[in-house]
Amino acid sequence: MSQAAERAEGAAPGHEWRNWSGNVTARPSAVARPTRVAELAELVAGATAAGRAVKAVGAGHSFTPIAATDGLQITLDGLTGVLRADRNTGLVTVAAGTRLRALNRTLALLGLALPNLGDIDSQSIAGALATGTHGTGGRYQGITADVRGLQLVLADGSVVDLQAGGDDPELFEAARLGLGALGVISAVTLQCVPAFDIVAHEYPAPLSDVLADLPGLVDAHDHAELFWFPWTDRALVKANRRLAPGADEGRPLPRWRGVLEDEILANGLFEAVCRVGAQRPALVPQLNAVAARALGERTYTAPSDRVFVSPRRVRFVESEYAVPRAAVAEILEGLDTFVRRTRAPILFPVEVRFLAADDVWLSTAYQQDVAYVAVHQFRGMPADHYLAELESLAAAHGGRPHWGKVHSLAADRLRELYPRFEDFRAVRDRVDPSRTFANEHLRRVLGD
Ligand SMILES: Cc1cc2nc3c(=O)[nH]c(=O)nc-3n(C[C@H](O)[C@H](O)[C@H](O)COP(=O)(O)OP(=O)(O)OC[C@H]3O[C@@H](n4cnc5c(N)ncnc54)[C@H](O)[C@@H]3O)c2cc1C
């Protein structure tokens, strides 16, 4: 091993790694932070030769132990930044450890943006891709669908450049959403679009009214989403519309209102409410009723990433399933019955989003337009039965779990849900026969 790679790999005696939620911990035997692709390749080759497991880690924002390892943990924080950008084609190549927040900022300076985003921007781009991170929009797709090229470090230390329609189409297709199981991504080329603003319209409404015309809501808006407050019939609807690039409807959210609503109400006060609910679970129904009424209507215009992304400071655990859109009402009804029957102290709203079908092998939206139903529970409060209930409700509709959020499915079931599951496993057998990139979680979901 070169001196640089040796320096990059620090011993980590007693080092405990913890994910954002705090529900997953691991004790890697060593931690490395390469700053060049050659160093990364050398670290991976050395680990494979020594029969040692390797796991790349991004921002640790997955709720599953998908990023956990007791072997060599490689953080990509030393490989960041935009490497190449073409404003005419919108193709942007970015180092794998780049956080979405930094990427969005650079794209904005270039007059570009990602077509769609999830609700936070703390993730690394490679970590976001590895679990199929998505936002909402009935005609839009998840971030993996934007991938046009990947640079991947394989178990033997070789560095391959993969493109759509390139020499190894199977590896490209698998690695777009690769669960960290095929190699360490060092760079990603993304198809971006000209920067655009969004007119955000958020309003409270009775859940029954929203469900009565869910297809209408999704079809009429580029990015529709709803949050239903358990114990109530209240929902907060986000019905967001994209503006053509350059168009300006000029209604920014006053700064004081952003701070009040997004920081104080949605985070500071919400954290306090969760703490009261954790101490006094019997109060949860009333607390929810108050929370559901606290959010009013607002309309504002802002650059796309500022509308897609919200601060999320209150820590929680989460499960999310992609289901056919027609199943949403039945699943919410099932959750309502469960919460009331078990008197479950659920303070977080249930989130429902929508996405168009794509062709990414392990995408939760593979070849089907989907709705996503997500449940959350305040960190430290009982969550298992609630999350399991969503799993069983979603199972009745062929629900596909988000790869980065809590679920208990294993390969036998996932094989039935993903038509290209065996193709993915065949690619993995080819590029990682000795399972350098395996961990316990992948052994469960991929079968060995
Ligand atoms: C508050 C919060 C909000 C969220 N909101 C959304 C949302 O709106 N939509 C959504 O879909 N998800 C959401 N998520 C889930 C999150 O987007 C995913 O779990 C994502 O994978 C986290 O990215 P990360 O950089 O933290 O990756 P990590 O959790 O660190 O790692 C995830 C996987 O990526 C692999 N990986 C990381 N880097 C590389 C690399 N260079 N090469 C190969 N594999 C790599 C890891 O090995 C692991 O398998 C949210 C999570 C949180 C905590």
Side-chain angles (χ1 to χ4, degrees):
M1 190 182 292
S2 74
Q3 281 185 343
E6 266 173 33
R7 271 201 309 278
E9 183 176 355
H15 164 83
E16 186 183 73
W17 174 85
R18 191 172 279 269
N19 68 343
W20 177 88
S21 170
N23 66 327
V24 177
T25 54
R27 285 190 182 278
S29 58
V31 177
R33 186 183 177 279
T35 52
R36 291 183 303 110
V37 177
E39 260 173 58
L40 169 62
E42 207 173 331
L43 284 161
V44 172
T48 302
R52 187 183 197 192
V54 171
K55 190 77 0 216
V57 67
H61 272 53
S62 297
F63 299 92
T64 56
I66 195 165
T69 187
D70 55 9
L72 170 63
Q73 179 184 67
I74 300 186
T75 162
L76 272 288
D77 284 349
L79 285 169
T80 60
V82 168
L83 307 174
R84 273 186 305 282
D86 182 333
R87 290 159 108 152
N88 295 322
T89 61
L91 289 173
V92 173
T93 301
V94 57
T98 310
R99 301 295 168 104
L100 295 183
R101 184 172 310 146
L103 173 59
N104 291 337
R105 275 197 205 122
T106 308
L107 291 179
L109 294 174
L110 293 164
L112 296 170
L114 283 170
N116 199 1
L117 284 166
D119 57 19
I120 57 160
D121 57 8
S122 314
Q123 308 96 320
S124 66
I125 182 63
L129 295 175
T131 64
T133 296
H134 65 87
T136 188
R139 293 183 294 277
Y140 294 86
Q141 299 172 324
I143 304 178
T144 51
D146 306 329
V147 176
R148 295 293 175 270
L150 288 169
Q151 187 180 66
L152 189 63
V153 177
L154 299 178
D156 62 3
S158 55
V159 181
V160 292
D161 283 299
L162 305 162
Q163 281 99 30
D167 293 345
D168 196 341
E170 303 261 298
L171 181 54
F172 174 75
E173 287 304 332
R176 277 205 279 176
L177 197 169
L179 308 180
L182 305 174
V184 181
I185 296 172
S186 45
V188 182
T189 301
L190 296 158
Q191 179 64 64
C192 299
V193 296
F196 59 100
D197 284 354
I198 288 182
V199 181
H201 182 203
E202 301 167 7
Y203 58 92
L207 177 67
S208 39
D209 290 1
V210 182
L211 293 178
D213 186 21
L214 206 51
L217 175 76
V218 177
D219 291 346
H221 299 93
D222 295 311
H223 303 283
E225 178 170 10
L226 65 111
F227 295 89
W228 160 57
F229 291 81
W231 292 104
T232 78
D233 178 39
R234 306 287 295 172
L236 179 79
V237 179
K238 292 192 174 184
N240 296 344
R241 177 167 58 88
R242 295 160 86 100
L243 290 178
D248 180 8
E249 288 198 7
R251 273 184 297 180
L253 191 65
R255 194 171 142 64
W256 66 266
R257 208 169 160 191
V259 171
L260 174 69
E261 291 168 346
D262 298 333
E263 283 294 348
I264 299 175
L265 289 180
N267 281 289
L269 187 62
F270 186 53
E271 167 103 35
V273 167
C274 286
R275 286 183 189 283
V276 172
Q279 295 291 318
R280 311 263 312 267
L283 289 181
V284 165
Q286 290 98 305
L287 291 171
N288 271 17
V290 174
R293 294 200 174 274
L295 296 168
E297 182 166 4
R298 63 179 186 173
T299 303
Y300 65 94
T301 304
S304 58
D305 59 310
R306 286 196 223 148
V307 175
F308 288 133
V309 169
S310 313
R312 290 286 191 101
R313 302 196 207 292
V314 185
R315 307 265 166 148
F316 54 82
V317 289
E318 179 177 353
S319 281
E320 183 178 55
Y321 290 80
V323 293
R325 292 180 189 168
V328 168
E330 197 180 310
I331 291 176
L332 296 192
E333 206 176 298
L335 289 173
D336 186 43
T337 304
F338 170 84
V339 167
R340 289 177 193 276
R341 179 169 50 79
T342 62
R343 301 202 59 75
I346 307 302
L347 282 150
F348 275 72
V350 176
E351 188 176 13
V352 181
R353 295 185 275 187
F354 309 90
L355 222 59
D358 62 37
D359 59 358
V360 180
W361 286 5
L362 292 190
S363 165
T364 46
Y366 181 74
Q367 291 190 341
Q368 63 172 2
D369 292 344
V370 290
Y372 292 92
V373 180
V375 296
H376 312 67
Q377 174 64 305
F378 186 46
R379 184 167 71 179
M381 285 181 78
D384 293 354
H385 294 304
Y386 181 47
L387 271 48
E389 183 68 12
L390 174 62
E391 184 162 291
S392 115
L393 291 164
H397 299 278
R400 292 172 175 161
H402 188 299
W403 294 103
K405 302 188 183 178
V406 178
H407 71 91
S408 74
L409 272 54
D412 54 347
R413 176 66 177 147
L414 293 162
R415 180 178 291 116
E416 297 168 354
L417 297 172
Y418 287 93
R420 306 304 297 262
F421 191 75
E422 286 307 327
D423 295 319
F424 184 93
R425 283 175 27 111
V427 168
R428 184 182 185 223
D429 284 345
R430 170 160 64 93
V431 297
D432 188 19
S434 59
R435 299 291 188 260
T436 294
F437 302 109
N439 63 6
E440 214 177 302
H441 181 77
L442 288 185
R443 278 189 278 278
R444 188 187 95 208
V445 299
L446 291 175
D448 65 53

